[in-house]
Amino acid sequence: MDDRLSFDALNAALKAAGEETRLRILALLAEAELTVSDLTDILRQSQPRISRHLKLLAEASLVERFREGSWAFFRAAEQGEAAALVRALLARLDPADRTIGRDRERLVAVRAARNQAAQDYFTRHAAEWDRIRRLHASDEAVEQAIVEALADRPFRSLLDLGTGTGRMLELFGPELERGLGIDLSRDMLALARARLDRAGLKHCSVRHGDLFDLAMPPDSFDVVILHQVLHFLDDGGRAIREAARVLRPQGRLLIVDFAPHDLEFLREKHAHRRLGFSRETITQWLEQAGLAPGLHRVLPPGPGPDGGLAVTLWLGRDPRIVVAEQTREVA
């Protein structure tokens, strides 16, 4: 891939980065996704000043902006020619520099506050989640089955739809080049960001977004996961079609959800719209999305007075073949 920039683009990027505060912002955004408020706390500068610097960096494509309601998160560019320039510039920074070191110390404090807020939210809702967990196979058993389902070949990019606490990104993150989680719940996104921060997974991030209308082009990811998501949705087939759209040729879609059950309290108290899915239903949705159904595995329910929930894994594959272009030497 050619990372070279045109003269005008390189000139604009260097002008944007060539200022003390903006270079500090770039160094921080390479470490974590941050809001304007986070950056004002770290850099001890006014909000209008920080916003102005971010605007210039965004116009030069050196940072990316993602809105979540009234909040906006910023991150150093990850793809494209400008991202290569950001990496090259930051690689020249001395990690022992006093200014950079002080900013990183304040970043640690911001992350600690994030983690505490996430933990407080989890504590308030832990009892609800624990009751549901007791109804099905242990999290460890489910995660092992997920890893085994995708173990036939390595993958470099992962999209986790309905990412929740970001556990799938944490599970596969060390082997990825790029991981992205999408969720509509800002509370869950806060939990996920705290988890990714603790794991040190800088190449994984989460976004507020609609899994029915993903703001990304086709052929973007090697693997897409829908983990315990479909039972919350009115139209699971539509979600699967949108997930299939962003799969690369030979990419895989892994669905993890409940088999059919009759635990009506999950609909009444926990917003479950569907009480599980049959193999026939998911197979039909995969085929309608243009995917070839593959793995089907059922994990038996856990013991409990309310009955149990069987967790089922379905795997669909994009049947398109990647045809490598052959180069021919001409004497």
Side-chain angles (χ1 to χ4, degrees), residues 6 8 14 49 91 98 120 146 188 241 257 266 271 283 293 330:
S6 68
D8 289 342
L14 290 174
R49 181 177 174 84
R98 291 181 61 186
D120 290 346
I146 290 171
M188 285 298 182
R241 291 193 297 274
D257 218 295
L266 292 176
T283 297
V330 179

Side-chain angles (χ1 to χ4, degrees), residues 10-317:
L10 180 59
N11 187 44
L14 290 174
K15 284 182 177 178
E19 191 275 340
E20 178 184 351
T21 298
R22 291 199 287 276
L23 186 57
R24 291 168 68 189
I25 289 174
L26 278 178
L28 288 165
L29 294 181
E31 297 284 336
E33 289 185 348
L34 299 170
T35 65
V36 173
S37 178
D38 293 333
L39 289 166
T40 59
D41 289 343
I42 294 169
L43 298 173
R44 309 296 169 87
Q45 297 185 24
S46 69
Q47 183 170 328
R49 181 177 174 84
I50 294 296
S51 295
R52 172 62 178 166
H53 286 311
L54 287 168
K55 182 174 184 292
L56 293 172
L57 290 169
E59 288 174 348
S61 300
L62 298 180
V63 305
E64 299 171 347
R65 180 177 183 270
F66 303 93
R67 176 161 290 282
E68 289 183 14
S70 60
W71 286 26
F73 286 85
F74 295 85
R75 184 181 180 91
E78 296 180 307
Q79 300 183 68
E81 297 86 352
L85 177 61
V86 171
R87 290 192 294 269
L89 288 173
L90 297 181
R92 304 297 299 175
L93 276 176
D94 180 1
D97 179 84
R98 291 181 61 186
T99 299
I100 298 300
R102 184 171 60 250
D103 289 347
R104 282 179 174 159
E105 288 175 1
R106 292 173 180 165
L107 175 59
V108 169
V110 166
R111 282 174 156 171
R114 242 189 222 177
N115 287 338
Q116 186 59 52
Q119 186 59 44
D120 290 346
Y121 176 84
F122 179 81
T123 299
R124 293 196 302 271
H125 294 81
E128 302 169 12
W129 294 354
D130 284 344
R131 184 185 179 192
I132 297 175
R133 283 196 185 101
R134 286 195 296 270
L135 296 173
H136 59 71
S138 69
D139 291 344
E140 292 78 8
V142 174
E143 289 177 6
Q144 181 62 33
I146 290 171
V147 170
E148 292 171 357
L150 296 171
D152 58 324
R153 71 175 189 271
F155 52 95
R156 301 295 183 86
S157 57
L158 169 66
L159 175 63
D160 185 26
L161 297 178
T163 194
T165 64
R167 173 55 184 159
M168 292 296 101
L169 294 175
E170 181 185 42
L171 183 63
F172 291 104
E175 308 302 324
L176 298 175
E177 291 181 356
R178 179 190 179 208
L180 178 63
I182 302 293
D183 208 292
L184 274 174
S185 168
R186 295 183 179 87
D187 288 324
M188 285 298 182
L189 289 172
L191 287 171
R193 287 194 177 95
R195 182 189 287 274
L196 296 177
D197 280 348
R198 289 194 301 271
L201 297 172
K202 299 177 186 178
H203 56 292
C204 294
S205 57
V206 293
R207 303 276 180 270
H208 181 262
D210 183 353
L211 55 77
F212 289 121
D213 186 17
L214 299 172
M216 55 191 68
D219 304 343
S220 294
F221 291 91
D222 298 324
V223 170
V224 177
I225 293 179
L226 282 161
H227 180 220
Q228 300 291 10
V229 173
L230 289 185
H231 59 254
F232 290 111
L233 305 181
D234 283 322
D235 190 346
R238 181 183 168 199
I240 289 175
R241 291 193 297 274
E242 181 65 354
R245 182 184 68 81
V246 299
L247 275 180
R248 290 174 177 155
Q250 293 294 294
R252 292 167 290 172
L253 170 62
L254 179 64
I255 299 167
V256 184
D257 218 295
F258 299 128
H261 63 85
D262 58 2
L263 302 184
E264 195 66 37
F265 81 91
L266 292 176
R267 197 192 322 259
E268 297 168 355
K269 298 183 178 180
H270 297 282
H272 289 208
R273 295 183 181 274
R274 297 288 299 270
L275 299 183
F277 302 91
S278 68
R279 181 175 186 175
E280 293 73 22
T281 295
I282 299 297
T283 297
Q284 182 180 27
W285 283 346
L286 289 172
E287 291 175 342
Q288 290 173 348
L291 301 180
L295 169 80
H296 173 256
R297 180 178 178 185
V298 179
L299 303 179
D306 295 317
L309 295 170
V311 174
T312 308
L313 290 80
W314 297 268
L315 192 67
R317 295 179 184 272

